[in-house]
Amino acid sequence: MKTMVVAAALILWGSGETLAADAAASEIAPAGFVWSGGYVGLQAGHAWSQSHYIRSYGTYSDPDPDGFFGGAYAGYNVQLQNNVVLGIDADINVTGIDGKAPALFADGTSDLDHALVSNVNWNGALRARLGYAMDRFMPYIAGGLSAARYEFTLRHMDGSDHTPIKGTWTGWNLGAGLEYAVTENFLLRTEYRYTDYGSQEFGTTWFGEQWIKASLKSHDLRLGLAYKF
């Protein structure tokens, strides 16, 4: 997580220098609200996910995690003369996104002794943005790289857990949103985002040597407020 934050900060700094140079070359028109500049903000939202899990023995489950999250974001925009806005944006969040579902045998009947529980501890993203300035409104699309700390485990009905399987998952994201300049410095945004973390295969000894495959995809809606420099 710390590595991702540092990397995002370095990329944002470098991109800000490049975008600022592009802005000067483009001779941005001063009319209306100008979106060029850096910003930092806070955000909160709700995510609902799809996670499928299957064991080599054929047992499977869908512990689709959902819940709220909150965090911070930062970025840099350059508004061109034709009102197109180019930008780069990064965010990091702590989450309460979790799920639980019964374990099912290959024939679809329930394993009454076990359930699968899942949890997303944190997530973050680094994205490119493309928007169009309409004075104080800016609709935009964005996409890029995502990362999340995801873990899951098999839980007995007595409440005891097997050793959790956890790791940092990476994937891609695509979203769209609308930003509004409340004042010259405060920017309000709302956004929908889809994230695909793909699938992974793990070795485990939960019930003897076997493999486990799991996948994770996520949808979320978020609201943010940023300060523009």
Side-chain angles (χ1 to χ4, degrees):
M1 178 178 178
K2 291 182 179 179
T3 302
M4 181 178 177
V5 173
V6 173
L10 290 173
I11 293 172
L12 285 171
W13 179 82
S15 300
E17 294 292 320
T18 302
L19 290 172
D22 291 342
S26 300
E27 297 181 352
I28 299 171
F33 182 80
V34 177
W35 289 87
S36 295
Y39 57 85
V40 294
L42 298 175
Q43 65 181 357
H46 184 269
W48 62 101
S49 308
Q50 296 83 47
S51 182
H52 181 69
Y53 144 97
I54 186 169
R55 288 170 47 205
S56 53
Y57 292 163
T59 308
Y60 66 96
S61 184
D62 296 296
D64 301 337
D66 70 284
F68 292 94
F69 62 89
Y73 63 99
Y76 197 95
N77 292 320
V78 166
Q79 181 177 334
L80 305 181
Q81 205 167 16
N82 58 3
N83 291 330
V84 170
V85 179
L86 304 177
I88 189 164
D89 187 275
D91 66 79
I92 191 75
N93 308 281
V94 293
T95 85
I97 303 171
D98 52 33
K100 180 180 179 181
L104 303 174
F105 293 114
D107 61 3
T109 58
S110 294
D111 175 357
L112 301 179
D113 296 325
H114 301 95
L116 199 78
V117 293
S118 62
N119 180 261
V120 179
N121 302 121
W122 60 264
N123 63 34
L126 178 63
R127 309 177 303 151
R129 293 206 305 166
L130 174 63
Y132 186 79
M134 304 169 63
D135 195 8
R136 290 185 176 272
F137 288 92
M138 185 184 71
Y140 66 87
I141 57 175
L145 302 176
S146 292
R149 184 70 172 180
Y150 184 51
E151 65 178 78
F152 57 91
T153 188
L154 199 62
R155 176 169 295 170
H156 293 279
M157 290 302 102
D158 63 7
S160 61
D161 291 342
H162 285 272
T163 302
I165 295 175
K166 51 189 174 181
T168 300
W169 291 44
T170 57
W172 59 270
N173 65 77
L174 185 64
L178 177 66
E179 206 153 21
Y180 173 66
V182 181
T183 68
E184 292 299 308
N185 298 107
F186 286 99
L187 309 176
L188 182 67
R189 75 162 60 166
T190 182
E191 181 185 313
Y192 162 79
R193 188 182 302 182
Y194 170 77
T195 305
D196 190 337
Y197 295 101
S199 60
Q200 294 191 35
E201 183 174 321
F202 307 88
T204 181
T205 56
W206 283 357
F207 292 106
E209 291 299 330
Q210 59 181 291
W211 53 257
I212 289 175
K213 291 180 181 178
S215 62
L216 179 63
K217 300 176 181 179
S218 178
H219 307 262
D220 69 66
L221 292 173
R222 58 187 68 200
L223 185 68
L225 179 65
Y227 182 84
K228 175 179 177 291
F229 299 104

